[in-house]
Amino acid sequence: MRAPILLSMPDYKNTLNLPDTSFPMRGDLARREPAWVAEWEEKRIYAAIRAASAGRPRFVLHDGPPYANGDLHLGHAVNKILKDIVVKTHNMAGYDAHYVPGWDCHGMPIEIQIEKKYGKNLPTAEMQSKARAYAYEQIDRQRKDFKRLGVLGDWDHPYLTMNFGNEANEIRVLGRIMEKGYVFRGLKPVNWCFDCGSALAEAEVEYADRVDPTVDVAFPFADKDALAAAFGLKSIEDGAAVIWTTTPWTIPANQALNLHPEIDYALVRVSPAPAHGPLLLLAAERVQACLQNWQLQGEIIATAKGEALTGITMRHPLAKVDAGYDRLSPIYLGDYVTLDAGTGIVHSSPAYGIEDFVSCKAHGLKDDDIISPVMGDGRYAGTLPLFGGLAIWDANPKIIEVLRQAGSLMHTAPIKHSYMHCWRHKTPIIYRATSQWFAGMDVKPNDGSPTLRESALKAIDETAFYPGWGRARLHNMIANRPDWTLSRQRQWGTPMAFFVHKETGELHPRTLELLEQIAKRVEKHGIEAWQTLDARELLDDEAEQVKACR
């Protein structure tokens, strides 16, 4: 056997012309990174950059604040690092580029953390004390980690929404928009979370799939003569208008029916005849699908446009079961009625739907006349006939059963659909009419200046957006948003610092003056000063006639 031939490998290392540096072979960031941050702090790098950039054109990135709630995650990192890149590139491009960090210290996220840790229904003073301490703790933790990300800024002087001066100035801004006439109080359906016990802003609503029962419900004819005349008939038999809804729990609060003015509606004689009579009122285009769904045979005997039926009344579908529901539901017209599903007739509970509310108010329904039995915790008031005290989701099957007993249930089936949920609790929410303070987006100010919507849209048009599609997104949101809900039923936030008359509910005539006096106290002691304020300190003998909005 021949011996193997050994080949010598060339020493490529000596063929490379590499610079001789002091850089270590390993990153070792866990040890070295804290040292870098400490060095930046010691040398006051951000202040040095500001001094070197003095006199240049100013560029200021005033940060949209994160919540002072919880440790940093990837979203925080992406947000802050991108902003840091923007600031540093502008500084290198010849600007005096400032970064102003800050935190949103109030609101539901912090209050929920306190509730999780210490329980619900804490006294207001204790809740506010613990919330403020928690926010400071979170700020210190997040600030430390933002520095670790390499973000340079004036970290020693951040803006905090809970700084006493900021809290006081929010109250002063409230006074200014009141002075212009923007602020009003009214009953209006708002997004309501039973777990939060509060109204939610639009940004606090997300959507998730949910299974709910659908019901087709018959509203018996009340004024047959008027209905016959609308269809060009001398007389008609007994019957009912049929609605379809995915929210049976709203039926006890029904106060009207909505038809589209331009849709053709049909009187259909069916067999076998339901308990309320042989005639059904449906959108003509939905007749075949509905009869098939209900396993009925029928023929159309007359048609009319929805506009011809306005004002004609039907009876509440539970009237036969309990006298508490013995009321009429008039037909109103609504352009939002569609033929995608259902019967082409929409049942209207103005306390629990925006379109329902607007429609009923437009037809003269007063706030005091609106039926609103659902309380803030999601249960019906104890005074509601048949269902008092039940949680609305638990009440659905009982309502369906009572409708069946009344002979008003045409059909029921489950449906999986996208439904509103609270972004914090991930639980379903509802529209619920409550008395709230609003800023009217289209209210014309007392001084003749533009409305809030006009002012906001003008500012958007005058602002440069990067990327450009951001302008259209924000513009559309402002152009279509409803009035701005100012009030919340929570404890940790800048208050609506109003005194109202105990009997009339009217604002104190010196509200603007009082707001400034309250702001001065908040400036010294924080929002806690409002909670501990004795009305007699500001109103003397008048204090007995008013109550504070707390």
Side-chain angles (χ1 to χ4, degrees), residues 79-121:
N79 183 292
K80 290 295 178 288
I81 291 171
L82 288 177
K83 289 174 179 176
D84 190 56
I85 291 172
V86 170
V87 173
K88 288 174 178 172
T89 54
H90 274 76
N91 197 82
M92 296 172 68
Y95 289 90
D96 180 10
H98 293 246
Y99 173 65
V100 184
W103 277 271
D104 185 348
C105 312
H106 291 123
M108 193 79 71
I110 292 175
E111 193 165 341
I112 286 176
Q113 293 301 321
I114 300 303
E115 289 180 350
K116 287 180 179 178
K117 191 171 182 179
Y118 300 102
K120 293 188 176 183
N121 302 315

Side-chain angles (χ1 to χ4, degrees), residues 305-324:
K305 292 290 185 183
E307 188 173 14
L309 306 176
T310 183
I312 297 174
T313 55
M314 308 291 159
R315 292 202 176 279
H316 194 281
L318 297 175
K320 288 184 178 180
V321 182
D322 192 287

Side-chain angles (χ1 to χ4, degrees), residues 23 65 69 77 85 120 165-166 193 311 325 392 396 426 492 549:
F23 296 163
N69 179 36
I85 291 172
K120 293 188 176 183
N166 289 337
C193 173
Y325 295 103
I392 62 170
N396 271 338
K426 311 303 179 184
W492 180 233
C549 294

Side-chain angles (χ1 to χ4, degrees), residues 64-367:
Y67 279 120
N69 179 36
D71 293 327
L72 302 193
H73 50 68
L74 187 59
H76 288 108
V78 172
N79 183 292
K80 290 295 178 288
I81 291 171
L82 288 177
K83 289 174 179 176
D84 190 56
I85 291 172
V86 170
V87 173
K88 288 174 178 172
T89 54
H90 274 76
N91 197 82
M92 296 172 68
Y95 289 90
D96 180 10
H98 293 246
Y99 173 65
V100 184
W103 277 271
D104 185 348
C105 312
H106 291 123
M108 193 79 71
I110 292 175
E111 193 165 341
I112 286 176
Q113 293 301 321
I114 300 303
E115 289 180 350
K116 287 180 179 178
K117 191 171 182 179
Y118 300 102
K120 293 188 176 183
N121 302 315
L122 291 176
T124 300
E126 184 177 356
M127 166 61 80
Q128 292 182 338
S129 174
K130 292 183 182 303
R132 193 177 286 277
Y134 174 84
Y136 276 125
E137 174 190 342
Q138 297 303 306
I139 288 166
D140 287 340
R141 293 178 59 158
Q142 290 189 5
R143 174 165 41 199
K144 178 182 177 182
D145 288 344
F146 284 141
K147 291 179 181 179
R148 287 286 303 274
L149 294 176
V151 178
L152 297 181
D154 191 1
W155 293 108
D156 293 333
H157 304 95
Y159 73 92
L160 309 178
T161 60
M162 68 177 179
N163 283 346
F164 294 171
N166 289 337
E167 292 176 335
N169 285 336
E170 283 191 49
I171 293 174
R172 291 188 173 105
V173 169
L174 174 62
R176 287 203 293 273
I177 64 175
M178 282 196 69
E179 187 175 16
K180 285 198 169 189
Y182 290 126
V183 179
F184 68 93
R185 181 174 54 187
L187 189 71
K188 184 178 178 182
V190 295
N191 296 311
W192 188 273
C193 173
F194 301 135
D195 291 287
C196 296
S198 176
L200 300 185
E202 290 178 63
E204 298 172 312
V205 177
E206 62 185 22
Y207 285 81
D209 285 343
R210 171 182 168 84
V211 176
D212 281 307
T214 66
V215 287
D216 299 274
V217 181
F219 284 66
F221 299 156
D223 191 347
K224 293 195 297 181
D225 290 341
L227 192 61
F231 279 97
L233 302 174
K234 292 182 178 180
S235 64
I236 60 172
E237 302 160 271
D238 289 337
V242 185
I243 65 94
W244 176 82
T245 181
T246 61
T247 56
W249 62 268
T250 62
I251 293 290
N254 172 272
Q255 293 187 262
L257 302 179
N258 285 112
L259 279 64
H260 194 288
E262 297 303 320
I263 287 178
D264 289 321
Y265 288 87
L267 273 180
V268 187
R269 183 179 288 111
V270 300
S271 62
H276 43 71
L279 293 184
L280 298 180
L281 175 61
L282 309 168
E285 189 173 319
R286 296 295 302 167
V287 168
Q288 185 175 358
C290 288
L291 294 186
Q292 182 177 355
N293 198 34
W294 303 333
Q295 298 182 344
L296 296 174
Q297 301 296 318
E299 61 172 337
I300 295 175
I301 63 172
T303 61
K305 292 290 185 183
E307 188 173 14
L309 306 176
T310 183
I312 297 174
T313 55
M314 308 291 159
R315 292 202 176 279
H316 194 281
L318 297 175
K320 288 184 178 180
V321 182
D322 192 287
Y325 295 103
D326 189 8
R327 60 178 184 264
L328 300 178
S329 294
I331 288 176
Y332 296 149
L333 302 179
D335 291 335
Y336 62 90
V337 178
T338 68
L339 296 173
D340 299 341
T343 66
I345 302 176
V346 176
H347 108 88
S348 179
S349 294
Y352 305 115
I354 298 293
E355 292 92 349
D356 298 356
F357 181 85
V358 171
S359 173
C360 286
K361 291 287 287 184
H363 286 84
L365 195 68
K366 301 291 189 290
D367 283 356

